[in-house]
Amino acid sequence: MVRRGGGAPRRDDAGAPPGAGAAVTTTEFDLAEGIAVLERTPGVLRAWLADLPEPWIRADEGPDTWTPFDIVGHLIDGEETDWIPRSRIILAQGADRRFTPYDRFRHLRLADGATLGGRLERFAALRAGNLVTLRGWTLTPAQLALTGEHPEFGTVTLAQLIATWVAHDLDHLMQLARVMGKRYAAAAGPWRAYLRVLQS
Amino acid sequence: MVRRGGGAPRRDDAGAPPGAGAAVTTTEFDLAEGIAVLERTPGVLRAWLADLPEPWIRADEGPDTWTPFDIVGHLIDGEETDWIPRSRIILAQGADRRFTPYDRFRHLRLADGATLGGRLERFAALRAGNLVTLRGWTLTPAQLALTGEHPEFGTVTLAQLIATWVAHDLDHLMQLARVMGKRYAAAAGPWRAYLRVLQS
């Protein structure tokens, strides 16, 4: 991002100035809108990462941080163990509505020998199947208000869980851009001062 | 992002802990790697935004911040007025190598009546043409070391300019994820604490 040459006050081109968060209008969850994001994520990842040179795929932010390859593995874990299984616990409304903790590091332990291309396709297939399930439920507002028990937060609603599924996708797309962008923090030279991605 | 239920210390699931920046290994610019990112961005944006419900396209982070629609307009401005025109100034090595300031708000003034779909296609066409130009130059290391004069930074190299083009794409993909993710800061309920995108 290149700042104008004139005398305008400096402003972060990448978005809101720090501290502007209070002005943001947040929105209640809308299932159809949420699904519109969820169904696009596999295609976004494929367009972004498929056949990308290996140094980008293996880039990280330092020790104990994730590469793009790791991020896709983590998204697969979510499809397999988190969003739909937890939704089922809520919808069943059994005596024990406590969720199994989400193992965020599962993908790092599974020595599955996967390639990035394989992970991208697996994620796409899992996501597609999970959206068939979600749409098939034709959830009512009353169902979206049903609750389960998060192991740390306590009571949460189905709407909050599915909204988090959406925001979680966006969180990791943000991470992906950040991890990759940081590789060029030095290469960009003095422009670093105007690119938030190089400062984060 | 859902934290494990166990007793592990809290760690930001979205990537590096704050302050970890010093540990990041930055990389010198590689033209082929850079082009691999640049050529993918139009497809990433199309997969992410095409036909997305309007509330996502018009979401922002508060007053004087950009929507996804604005971001695509800004990327178009870069293709038309910044990266290649500035590269030409450097490569010409004329007496005056000073860049024209980049008008970051040009897209907000141009009442072009564009739709998002139109902008996505226009960006894709401009980017494709600019990459034909860039590849056609078959730049040597000596050419990548040639310099121009940034109106504020002073002397910069062609390699820095092109590395910034790449990082600028990633910066705005990060912004896109952030702008959209913030819409669900309230809807995600207590999970907000574990999603960096909802806190930024």
Side-chain angles (χ1 to χ4, degrees), chain A residues 1-2 4 11 13-14 27 33 40 50-51 64 104 152-153 168 171-172 175 178 183 194 197, chain B residues 1-2 4 11 13-14 27 33 40 50-51 64 104 152-153 168 171-172 175 178 183 194 197:
Chain A
M1 176 46 31
V2 187
R4 295 183 70 169
R11 183 169 160 284
D13 163 77
T27 303
E33 282 180 15
R40 281 166 173 75
D51 302 317
D64 297 322
R104 299 193 296 102
E152 296 179 46
F153 301 145
H168 181 264
D171 200 43
H172 287 289
Q175 178 185 23
R178 191 182 68 232
R183 283 192 78 221
Y194 293 113
V197 75
Chain B
M1 179 44 32
V2 187
R4 295 183 70 169
R11 184 169 160 284
D13 163 75
T27 302
E33 283 180 15
R40 281 167 173 76
D51 303 317
D64 297 322
R104 299 194 296 102
E152 297 178 47
F153 301 143
H168 181 265
D171 200 44
H172 287 289
Q175 178 185 23
R178 191 181 68 232
R183 284 192 76 222
Y194 294 113
V197 75

Side-chain angles (χ1 to χ4, degrees), chain B residues 107-164:
Chain B
H107 65 99
L108 299 175
R109 285 196 319 276
L110 293 179
D112 59 0
T115 61
L116 179 72
R119 283 192 168 181
L120 289 170
E121 293 317 308
R122 186 157 161 230
F123 173 65
L126 289 165
R127 172 61 58 91
N130 283 339
L131 291 181
V132 167
T133 299
L134 178 62
R135 285 192 171 103
W137 287 334
T138 57
L139 296 169
T140 63
Q143 286 175 305
L144 286 166
L146 293 174
T147 61
E149 293 299 313
H150 187 279
E152 297 178 47
F153 301 143
T155 303
V156 292
T157 67
L158 181 57
Q160 288 171 339
L161 174 64
I162 301 175
T164 300

Side-chain angles (χ1 to χ4, degrees), chain B residues 46-94:
Chain B
R46 197 183 291 120
W48 197 331
L49 297 177
D51 303 317
L52 198 62
E54 198 69 10
W56 290 115
I57 303 306
R58 302 293 173 180
D60 62 34
E61 298 179 278
D64 297 322
T65 63
W66 290 355
T67 66
F69 182 79
D70 295 331
I71 292 168
V72 180
H74 170 70
L75 288 169
I76 288 170
D77 287 348
E79 298 305 302
E80 293 189 323
T81 71
D82 190 323
W83 315 108
I84 290 292
R86 288 181 169 190
S87 295
R88 289 189 197 282
I89 290 171
I90 293 176
L91 288 169
Q93 289 291 293

Side-chain angles (χ1 to χ4, degrees), chain A residues 23-67:
Chain A
V24 174
T25 303
T26 57
T27 303
E28 281 311 301
F29 176 64
D30 177 281
L31 185 59
E33 282 180 15
I35 289 175
V37 172
L38 291 171
E39 71 184 358
R40 281 166 173 75
T41 304
V44 173
L45 291 171
R46 198 183 290 120
W48 196 333
L49 297 177
D51 302 317
L52 198 61
E54 197 70 8
W56 289 116
I57 302 306
R58 302 295 172 177
D60 63 34
E61 299 179 277
D64 297 322
T65 63
W66 290 356
T67 66

Side-chain angles (χ1 to χ4, degrees), chain A:
Chain A
M1 176 46 31
V2 187
R3 178 181 164 199
R4 295 183 70 169
R10 174 163 178 205
R11 183 169 160 284
D12 182 345
D13 163 77
V24 174
T25 303
T26 57
T27 303
E28 281 311 301
F29 176 64
D30 177 281
L31 185 59
E33 282 180 15
I35 289 175
V37 172
L38 291 171
E39 71 184 358
R40 281 166 173 75
T41 304
V44 173
L45 291 171
R46 198 183 290 120
W48 196 333
L49 297 177
D51 302 317
L52 198 61
E54 197 70 8
W56 289 116
I57 302 306
R58 302 295 172 177
D60 63 34
E61 299 179 277
D64 297 322
T65 63
W66 290 356
T67 66
F69 183 78
D70 295 331
I71 292 168
V72 179
H74 170 70
L75 289 168
I76 287 171
D77 287 347
E79 297 306 302
E80 293 189 324
T81 70
D82 189 324
W83 314 109
I84 289 292
R86 287 181 170 190
S87 294
R88 288 189 197 283
I89 290 172
I90 293 175
L91 288 169
Q93 288 291 293
D96 181 5
R97 300 171 197 170
R98 194 176 151 89
F99 304 149
T100 305
Y102 183 6
D103 180 355
R104 299 193 296 102
F105 303 101
R106 176 176 181 259
H107 64 99
L108 299 175
R109 284 196 319 276
L110 294 179
D112 58 1
T115 61
L116 178 72
R119 282 192 169 180
L120 289 170
E121 293 317 307
R122 188 159 160 228
F123 173 64
L126 289 165
R127 172 62 58 91
N130 283 339
L131 292 181
V132 167
T133 299
L134 179 62
R135 285 192 170 104
W137 287 335
T138 58
L139 295 169
T140 63
Q143 286 174 305
L144 285 166
L146 293 174
T147 61
E149 292 299 314
H150 188 279
E152 296 179 46
F153 301 145
T155 303
V156 293
T157 67
L158 181 56
Q160 288 171 338
L161 175 65
I162 301 174
T164 300
W165 190 4
V166 176
H168 181 264
D169 273 16
L170 295 165
D171 200 43
H172 287 289
L173 292 177
M174 185 173 84
Q175 178 185 23
L176 184 58
R178 191 182 68 232
V179 171
M180 290 177 58
K182 279 185 177 176
R183 283 192 78 221
Y184 278 178
W191 274 289
R192 181 174 183 167
Y194 293 113
L195 290 169
R196 188 189 283 203
V197 75
L198 302 183
Q199 299 161 12
S200 54

